[in-house]
């Protein structure tokens, strides 16, 4: 490498090559996951209550909030939050770690000349991040979907996440626990690409002349993070519907995700592919704004400490 190239690396590279350590990326993702659950849980609770209650019980998300606060106080909005905190935190930690790894792998492709990551590179790294994340996401979603869609009272099938795992293992071993892995990848591959590209593109567009991403304040980070969530869920709902149906159906109902799609189109039409779009979108902005705030600021704190 020539002296000029070494100087170029020392002066330009720190701005464009991700310098984050893998460990810090993992921890910051975990902080982001906790923040996403703290902000997103009431919306998730509203979505599940609307989806599972008799018609007319609730008149939208705000109505669920009002009735829940009236019946159980503000804490009622956070009922059942322990399970998502335990499940979602490692998923986000792995997602942000794998995204960081993806960016580093993209930069190390033999023959690559540019040290600057393009939007396509962010998309590739985002898509890549869904691979390792899906290994945790798929069983966790299978458990969540079964708990959220089971009946109450006598129709209640499971007493909690451990009980679901036990029952699934008895029914069909690991294959049953991991049912829906392909569908999860179908949702989260393109979804994570859109998620991270939107975040990086919006963040870049808000950096003032002569400054870096590290100079961005709370509001731009919140906005870019919120829009990342919106970008992801704009394309993720159809595969999410297929995934939820595949994961919640009794064993033997479907032969695979293609079969779920065929039955859905035949019996309900293509509009059924967009069920749940409203509550998912209502949650997407605030939950992911909080997530990226948690990620960015925990990373800045860690970088200041060591
Ligand atoms: C399904 C999911 O967890 O998506 C995350 C965004 C959200 O709304 O929770 C993004 N990511 C898959 C990258 C963790």
């Amino acid at each position: 490498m020539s002296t000029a190239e070494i100087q170029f690396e020392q002066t330009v590279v720190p701005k464009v090559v991700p310098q984050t350590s893998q460990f810090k990326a993992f921890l910051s993702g975990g902080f982001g996951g906790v923040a996403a659950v703290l902000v997103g849980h009431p919306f998730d609770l509203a979505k599940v209550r609307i989806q599972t209650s008799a018609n007319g019980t609730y008149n939208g998300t705000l109505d669920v909030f009002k009735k829940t606060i009236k019946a159980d106080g503000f804490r009622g909005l956070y009922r059942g939050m322990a399970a998502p905190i335990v499940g979602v935190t490692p998923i986000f930690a792995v997602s942000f770690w794998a995204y960081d790894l993806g960016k580093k792998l993209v930069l190390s492709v033999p023959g690559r000349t540019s040290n600057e990551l393009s939007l396509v590179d962010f998309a590739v790294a985002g898509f890549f991040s869904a691979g390792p994340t899906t290994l945790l996401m798929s069983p966790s979603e299978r458990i969540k979907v079964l708990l959220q869609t089971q009946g109450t009272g006598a129709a209640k099938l499971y007493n909690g996440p451990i009980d679901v795992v036990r029952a699934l293992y008895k029914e069909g071993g690991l294959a049953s626990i991991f049912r829906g892995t392909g569908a999860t990848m179908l949702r989260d591959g393109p979804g994570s690409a859109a998620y991270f590209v939107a975040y990086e593109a919006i963040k870049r567009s808000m950096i003032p002349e002569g400054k870096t991403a590290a100079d961005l304040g709370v509001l731009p980070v919140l906005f870019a993070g919120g829009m990342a969530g919106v970008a992801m869920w704009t394309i993720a709902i159809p595969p999410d519907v297929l995934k939820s149906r595949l994961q919640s159906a009794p064993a033997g109902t479907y032969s695979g995700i293609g079969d779920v799609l065929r039955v859905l189109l035949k019996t309900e039409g293509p509009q059924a592919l967009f069920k749940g779009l409203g509550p998912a979108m209502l949650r997407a902005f605030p939950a992911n704004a909080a997530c990226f705030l948690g990620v960015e600021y925990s990373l800045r704190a860690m970088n200041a400490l060591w």
Side-chain angles (χ1 to χ4, degrees):
M1 195 184 272
S2 70
T3 320
E5 276 173 324
I6 290 168
Q7 270 171 357
F8 173 82
E9 288 247 324
Q10 282 169 349
T11 53
V12 179
V13 168
K15 287 186 191 153
V16 291
V17 175
Q19 297 292 304
T20 318
S21 82
Q22 300 274 286
F23 184 56
K24 285 181 189 171
F26 181 83
L27 285 184
S28 66
F31 279 110
V34 171
V37 175
L38 286 178
V39 174
H41 189 77
F43 295 95
D44 209 47
L45 178 119
K47 183 185 80 173
V48 175
R49 290 209 170 159
I50 290 169
Q51 285 173 339
T52 55
S53 60
N55 281 347
T57 312
Y58 296 112
N59 195 9
T61 304
L62 213 64
D63 194 38
V64 180
F65 288 173
K66 270 194 230 152
K67 287 181 174 146
T68 305
I69 293 172
K70 200 168 167 208
D72 299 329
F74 190 74
R75 287 179 57 170
L77 292 177
Y78 285 91
R79 187 175 279 180
M81 195 179 65
I85 288 271
V86 171
V88 168
T89 307
I91 287 174
F92 274 67
V94 169
S95 172
F96 279 81
W97 162 78
Y99 175 55
D100 187 67
L101 176 65
K103 286 190 284 188
K104 286 175 177 147
L105 289 175
V106 163
L107 285 170
S108 65
V109 166
R112 187 183 169 101
T113 50
S114 169
N115 277 320
E116 187 156 359
L117 287 160
S118 68
L119 293 184
V120 173
D121 295 330
F122 289 127
V124 171
F127 193 98
F128 170 85
S129 74
T133 310
T134 293
L135 294 177
L136 292 182
M137 183 80 84
S138 165
S140 145
E141 294 257 310
R142 170 98 155 113
I143 296 163
K144 191 186 87 172
V145 163
L146 286 172
L147 286 174
Q148 286 180 335
T149 56
Q150 71 171 336
T152 50
K156 194 172 169 197
L157 290 171
Y158 312 104
N159 280 321
I162 309 249
D163 199 26
V164 179
V165 174
R166 214 178 279 135
L168 293 180
Y169 192 75
K170 205 168 150 202
E171 172 201 271
L174 282 179
S176 175
I177 295 172
F178 280 85
R179 189 203 297 169
T181 299
T184 307
M185 192 62 205
L186 197 68
R187 180 194 71 179
D188 290 351
S192 300
Y195 186 71
F196 287 111
V197 163
Y199 181 68
E200 304 284 0
I202 295 169
K203 199 170 83 166
R204 269 187 185 186
S205 73
M206 289 189 297
I207 300 174
E209 270 297 306
K211 302 270 184 195
T212 70
D215 300 313
L216 284 176
V218 171
L219 284 181
V221 172
L222 283 175
F223 181 69
M227 291 311 291
V230 171
M232 167 163 173
W233 286 105
T234 300
I235 59 168
I237 282 291
D240 188 56
V241 169
L242 300 177
K243 180 194 72 63
S244 297
R245 292 194 177 200
L246 184 63
Q247 290 187 317
S248 62
T253 310
Y254 299 109
S255 59
I257 188 164
D259 196 28
V260 183
L261 178 65
R262 188 185 57 75
V263 173
L264 175 141
L265 291 176
K266 197 171 155 205
T267 55
E268 298 166 72
Q271 67 278 14
L273 284 170
F274 295 90
K275 274 192 173 169
L277 182 67
M281 281 301 187
L282 271 180
R283 175 195 159 275
F285 191 95
N288 289 293
C291 168
F292 276 98
L293 195 69
V295 169
E296 289 285 353
Y297 279 82
S298 60
L299 206 51
R300 289 181 198 184
M302 282 186 271
N303 284 339
L305 287 173
W306 81 88

